[in-house]
Amino acid sequence: MNDHIPGIQVSRAFHDNYIAPRLASFMPALPYASALVGPGSEVLGFDTSMSRDHDWGPRVLIFIRESDVLQQEAVLAALHKDAPAAFHGFPVHIEQTVVTTVPAYYSGRLGVCPSKVLEGLELLDWLTIPSQTLAELTGGAVFRDDIGELTAARGRLGYYPQDVWLFLMASVWNRIGQEEHLMPRAGFMEDELGAALIASRLIMDVMSLCFLIERRYAPYPKWFGTAFRQLACASELMPQLLAAQQAAAWREREQALAAAYRLVARLHNGLQLTEPLEVEPRLFFDRPFTVIGGGRFAEALISRVGEPALRKLSAFRFGGMDQISDNTDFRLLHQRFPRTPDGKSPLRVFFDHLMQGIGC
């Protein structure tokens, strides 16, 4: 991996030395933006030499104005004409360079109507979008932006609005509160495999909470642990989480998880979003099981949500897409089914039905 050149570096050079000069020569009056965003390990900076075996190499996304969309084919033709077979030693596949518009590309990835890309998402829209997608669309690099739409769209997606942020953190704390006592209960019944499985779920919840606390979009499973190591809290939390994950017996897991709970509770208090809460783990009723009481933190956060609709939706306590499912096909539901006539994705329709059911 020592000889690996980051994909963003390759694509930037490809833009600067091929895309930009070619468009300046063939279409000098055309304003456009160019970037490397969307799917691809190089967008998040996690690519290695192994990444080169597919969908990696010199490529750029070119964004033109809606009023210039009829020139899309001309742009592609200019790029294809006498295109080099290789760039800096890497094969060139011009078809990997996409010409589109900001509303078209971002709406397709987000599962919202194009107007929302330019005007901003509704609060419920945020709950339907995997954090991986948000990371892809706000990560990567912008090489040029004559129009300003791309920079503005990325800025609007920079991070969750305050109330959505509070709501999502509350939902993760609630997940912890629902399962923290189940791990020792399974272990107490001499079900070490079951206890280990529940512990893994709790570890993932703690890690997810840390991404939210540090206001970072969490990537999907392949890069979840790698990205976690980049968080400010990782150096302190990693030993406890690894101990819980690798423990051979449930009492060891319980002690390691209790230490992790204490640390993440302190991080919560450090945000000063709620009144300070007790960070010391306690017994679960009269049972000899140590828990943090995740529901306390969930309640405190929900009490600070100002948006009435989200306050009511908190009755369900299952959060957004990332808390509901980690199933890949389900996360891509909006790409498999057409939006409704009013531009809503299937998952947004689901949330709308919930709101109607609770009188919103």
Side-chain angles (χ1 to χ4, degrees):
M1 295 201 315
N2 293 333
D3 61 346
H4 175 65
I5 301 175
I8 285 183
Q9 183 177 326
V10 172
S11 290
R12 184 185 294 278
F14 185 59
H15 167 265
D16 292 346
N17 295 283
Y18 179 73
I19 300 291
R22 180 59 64 97
L23 291 183
S25 175
F26 283 83
M27 309 183 75
L30 179 72
Y32 66 94
S34 54
L36 184 64
V37 296
S41 55
E42 67 269 46
V43 171
L44 300 183
F46 296 138
D47 55 315
T48 67
S49 56
M50 185 179 290
S51 305
R52 299 177 188 174
D53 63 356
H54 70 286
D55 299 334
W56 188 98
R59 65 186 183 94
V60 173
L61 279 80
I62 298 172
F63 299 94
I64 58 178
R65 298 179 301 190
E66 290 285 343
S67 57
D68 292 325
V69 75
L70 293 179
Q71 298 192 59
Q72 187 175 27
E73 293 302 321
V75 174
L76 288 171
L79 297 178
H80 275 84
K81 184 177 175 58
D82 300 324
F87 178 82
H88 288 190
F90 300 107
V92 171
H93 303 286
I94 289 295
E95 64 274 11
Q96 290 184 340
T97 289
V98 176
V99 180
T100 183
T101 68
V102 170
Y105 185 78
Y106 272 65
S107 66
R109 298 290 301 158
L110 295 169
V112 300
C113 60
S115 63
K116 289 185 178 181
V117 175
L118 301 177
E119 299 167 5
L121 303 176
E122 298 175 18
L123 290 185
L124 289 186
D125 291 326
W126 287 94
L127 302 183
T128 71
I129 305 167
S131 59
Q132 165 75 18
T133 299
L134 293 167
E136 291 172 349
L137 295 179
T138 56
V142 175
F143 308 137
R144 170 176 177 155
D145 190 2
D146 300 333
I147 307 164
E149 284 183 348
L150 178 60
T151 301
R154 285 162 59 87
R156 280 187 287 270
L157 297 174
Y159 204 66
Y160 300 113
Q162 178 83 357
D163 279 348
V164 174
W165 181 45
L166 295 171
F167 179 80
L168 293 176
M169 283 193 290
S171 71
V172 180
W173 273 116
N174 188 63
R175 285 170 57 94
I176 292 172
Q178 290 173 336
E179 297 201 353
E180 56 186 340
H181 61 288
L182 301 183
M183 188 285 295
R185 183 67 173 119
F188 190 80
M189 296 299 292
E190 299 184 355
D191 177 13
E192 289 293 353
L193 177 59
L197 288 172
I198 299 169
S200 294
R201 289 166 58 91
L202 288 164
I203 290 166
M204 188 165 186
D205 285 336
V206 168
M207 294 169 70
S208 297
L209 192 56
C210 290
F211 277 103
L212 287 163
I213 287 173
E214 296 196 17
R215 298 175 65 86
R216 292 273 302 276
Y217 290 131
Y220 73 140
K222 180 166 65 170
W223 304 121
F224 190 76
T226 301
F228 179 80
R229 293 202 304 267
Q230 298 177 352
L231 298 182
C233 65
S235 59
E236 196 171 17
L237 267 165
M238 281 284 287
Q240 310 303 332
L241 298 179
L242 284 171
Q245 184 70 63
Q246 297 170 359
W250 71 271
R251 279 298 187 190
E252 297 173 41
R253 292 189 203 95
E254 181 186 43
Q255 293 173 7
L257 282 172
Y261 295 150
R262 184 183 298 110
L263 290 171
V264 79
R266 289 173 180 166
L267 293 175
H268 167 89
N269 284 341
L271 293 175
Q272 299 183 338
L273 294 170
T274 69
E275 292 298 318
L277 299 176
E278 176 57 53
V279 301
E280 287 302 317
R282 73 278 305 277
L283 293 180
F284 182 70
F285 294 100
D286 293 333
R287 300 181 183 186
F289 307 147
T290 304
V291 298
I292 191 64
R296 298 181 295 124
F297 295 84
E299 293 289 347
L301 287 163
I302 287 299
S303 71
R304 299 304 175 95
V305 174
E307 169 57 42
L310 284 180
R311 288 284 292 273
K312 290 186 176 182
L313 190 60
S314 68
F316 293 97
R317 296 295 173 86
F318 50 51
M321 169 64 90
D322 292 313
Q323 291 74 47
I324 292 172
S325 174
D326 59 3
N327 181 278
T328 300
D329 289 324
F330 187 75
R331 284 170 174 257
L332 298 178
L333 202 65
H334 67 275
Q335 296 182 22
R336 296 176 178 271
F337 293 93
R339 291 192 291 271
T340 62
D342 57 351
K344 293 180 178 178
S345 70
L347 194 60
R348 175 57 197 272
V349 173
F350 165 74
F351 276 108
D352 284 345
H353 280 307
L354 283 181
M355 301 305 290
Q356 292 171 11
I358 57 179
C360 292

